[in-house]
PDB file of all heavy atoms in Angstrom:
ATOM      1  N   ARG V 280     106.525 -67.969 -50.244  1.00  0.00           N
ATOM      2  CA  ARG V 280     107.504 -67.711 -51.317  1.00  0.00           C
ATOM      3  C   ARG V 280     107.219 -66.504 -52.154  1.00  0.00           C
ATOM      4  O   ARG V 280     107.640 -66.323 -53.299  1.00  0.00           O
ATOM      5  CB  ARG V 280     107.568 -68.947 -52.258  1.00  0.00           C
ATOM      6  CG  ARG V 280     107.864 -70.254 -51.582  1.00  0.00           C
ATOM      7  CD  ARG V 280     109.202 -70.339 -50.944  1.00  0.00           C
ATOM      8  NE  ARG V 280     109.599 -71.696 -50.608  1.00  0.00           N
ATOM      9  CZ  ARG V 280     110.705 -71.985 -49.956  1.00  0.00           C
ATOM     10  NH1 ARG V 280     111.525 -71.052 -49.560  1.00  0.00           N
ATOM     11  NH2 ARG V 280     110.981 -73.283 -49.709  1.00  0.00           N
ATOM     12  N   ARG V 281     106.445 -65.557 -51.567  1.00  0.00           N
ATOM     13  CA  ARG V 281     106.183 -64.268 -52.201  1.00  0.00           C
ATOM     14  C   ARG V 281     105.929 -63.227 -51.082  1.00  0.00           C
ATOM     15  O   ARG V 281     105.533 -63.616 -49.964  1.00  0.00           O
ATOM     16  CB  ARG V 281     104.997 -64.297 -53.151  1.00  0.00           C
ATOM     17  CG  ARG V 281     103.680 -64.716 -52.514  1.00  0.00           C
ATOM     18  CD  ARG V 281     102.592 -64.925 -53.578  1.00  0.00           C
ATOM     19  NE  ARG V 281     101.347 -65.418 -52.964  1.00  0.00           N
ATOM     20  CZ  ARG V 281     100.368 -64.651 -52.470  1.00  0.00           C
ATOM     21  NH1 ARG V 281     100.505 -63.324 -52.530  1.00  0.00           N
ATOM     22  NH2 ARG V 281      99.263 -65.164 -51.999  1.00  0.00           N
ATOM     23  N   SER V 282     106.174 -61.994 -51.340  1.00  0.00           N
ATOM     24  CA  SER V 282     106.057 -60.979 -50.319  1.00  0.00           C
ATOM     25  C   SER V 282     104.587 -60.696 -50.013  1.00  0.00           C
ATOM     26  O   SER V 282     103.796 -60.499 -50.936  1.00  0.00           O
ATOM     27  CB  SER V 282     106.748 -59.663 -50.731  1.00  0.00           C
ATOM     28  OG  SER V 282     108.133 -59.909 -50.904  1.00  0.00           O
ATOM     29  N   ALA V 283     104.241 -60.670 -48.756  1.00  0.00           N
ATOM     30  CA  ALA V 283     102.866 -60.324 -48.315  1.00  0.00           C
ATOM     31  C   ALA V 283     102.916 -59.950 -46.852  1.00  0.00           C
ATOM     32  O   ALA V 283     103.770 -60.373 -46.061  1.00  0.00           O
ATOM     33  CB  ALA V 283     101.951 -61.484 -48.532  1.00  0.00           C
ATOM     34  N   SER V 284     101.990 -59.168 -46.424  1.00  0.00           N
ATOM     35  CA  SER V 284     101.782 -58.855 -44.983  1.00  0.00           C
ATOM     36  C   SER V 284     101.522 -60.156 -44.278  1.00  0.00           C
ATOM     37  O   SER V 284     100.739 -61.030 -44.742  1.00  0.00           O
ATOM     38  CB  SER V 284     100.676 -57.864 -44.772  1.00  0.00           C
ATOM     39  OG  SER V 284     100.392 -57.730 -43.406  1.00  0.00           O
ATOM     40  N   ALA V 285     102.083 -60.302 -43.099  1.00  0.00           N
ATOM     41  CA  ALA V 285     101.792 -61.512 -42.231  1.00  0.00           C
ATOM     42  C   ALA V 285     100.301 -61.670 -42.010  1.00  0.00           C
ATOM     43  O   ALA V 285      99.825 -62.782 -41.847  1.00  0.00           O
ATOM     44  CB  ALA V 285     102.585 -61.418 -40.939  1.00  0.00           C
ATOM     45  N   GLN V 286      99.580 -60.560 -41.998  1.00  0.00           N
ATOM     46  CA  GLN V 286      98.163 -60.591 -41.736  1.00  0.00           C
ATOM     47  C   GLN V 286      97.348 -61.157 -42.946  1.00  0.00           C
ATOM     48  O   GLN V 286      96.187 -61.574 -42.761  1.00  0.00           O
ATOM     49  CB  GLN V 286      97.606 -59.216 -41.363  1.00  0.00           C
ATOM     50  CG  GLN V 286      97.999 -58.713 -39.966  1.00  0.00           C
ATOM     51  CD  GLN V 286      97.482 -59.638 -38.912  1.00  0.00           C
ATOM     52  OE1 GLN V 286      98.233 -60.522 -38.331  1.00  0.00           O
ATOM     53  NE2 GLN V 286      96.188 -59.534 -38.601  1.00  0.00           N
ATOM     54  N   ASP V 287      98.006 -61.167 -44.090  1.00  0.00           N
ATOM     55  CA  ASP V 287      97.241 -61.634 -45.282  1.00  0.00           C
ATOM     56  C   ASP V 287      97.622 -63.061 -45.670  1.00  0.00           C
ATOM     57  O   ASP V 287      97.088 -63.575 -46.664  1.00  0.00           O
ATOM     58  CB  ASP V 287      97.567 -60.717 -46.460  1.00  0.00           C
ATOM     59  CG  ASP V 287      96.994 -59.300 -46.265  1.00  0.00           C
ATOM     60  OD1 ASP V 287      95.981 -59.194 -45.609  1.00  0.00           O
ATOM     61  OD2 ASP V 287      97.605 -58.348 -46.806  1.00  0.00           O
ATOM     62  N   VAL V 288      98.468 -63.723 -44.916  1.00  0.00           N
ATOM     63  CA  VAL V 288      98.962 -65.026 -45.225  1.00  0.00           C
ATOM     64  C   VAL V 288      98.132 -66.070 -44.411  1.00  0.00           C
ATOM     65  O   VAL V 288      98.119 -65.977 -43.203  1.00  0.00           O
ATOM     66  CB  VAL V 288     100.407 -65.195 -44.919  1.00  0.00           C
ATOM     67  CG1 VAL V 288     100.913 -66.615 -45.194  1.00  0.00           C
ATOM     68  CG2 VAL V 288     101.236 -64.185 -45.733  1.00  0.00           C
ATOM     69  N   PRO V 289      97.469 -67.056 -45.090  1.00  0.00           N
ATOM     70  CA  PRO V 289      96.654 -67.997 -44.350  1.00  0.00           C
ATOM     71  C   PRO V 289      97.465 -69.124 -43.663  1.00  0.00           C
ATOM     72  O   PRO V 289      97.255 -70.317 -43.927  1.00  0.00           O
ATOM     73  CB  PRO V 289      95.728 -68.556 -45.478  1.00  0.00           C
ATOM     74  CG  PRO V 289      96.589 -68.416 -46.726  1.00  0.00           C
ATOM     75  CD  PRO V 289      97.381 -67.206 -46.533  1.00  0.00           C
ATOM     76  N   ILE V 290      98.395 -68.723 -42.900  1.00  0.00           N
ATOM     77  CA  ILE V 290      99.231 -69.624 -42.068  1.00  0.00           C
ATOM     78  C   ILE V 290      99.361 -69.019 -40.689  1.00  0.00           C
ATOM     79  O   ILE V 290      99.559 -67.808 -40.547  1.00  0.00           O
ATOM     80  CB  ILE V 290     100.620 -69.785 -42.718  1.00  0.00           C
ATOM     81  CG1 ILE V 290     100.569 -70.418 -44.069  1.00  0.00           C
ATOM     82  CG2 ILE V 290     101.517 -70.618 -41.764  1.00  0.00           C
ATOM     83  CD1 ILE V 290     101.948 -70.434 -44.754  1.00  0.00           C
ATOM     84  N   THR V 291      99.139 -69.844 -39.687  1.00  0.00           N
ATOM     85  CA  THR V 291      99.356 -69.378 -38.304  1.00  0.00           C
ATOM     86  C   THR V 291     100.857 -69.168 -38.102  1.00  0.00           C
ATOM     87  O   THR V 291     101.656 -70.120 -38.333  1.00  0.00           O
ATOM     88  CB  THR V 291      98.811 -70.364 -37.292  1.00  0.00           C
ATOM     89  OG1 THR V 291      97.422 -70.561 -37.555  1.00  0.00           O
ATOM     90  CG2 THR V 291      98.965 -69.821 -35.889  1.00  0.00           C
TER      91      THR V 291
END
Side-chain angles (χ1 to χ4, degrees):
R280 306 296 196 185
R281 58 187 177 90
S282 298
S284 169
Q286 288 299 102
D287 294 331
V288 177
I290 297 174
T291 304

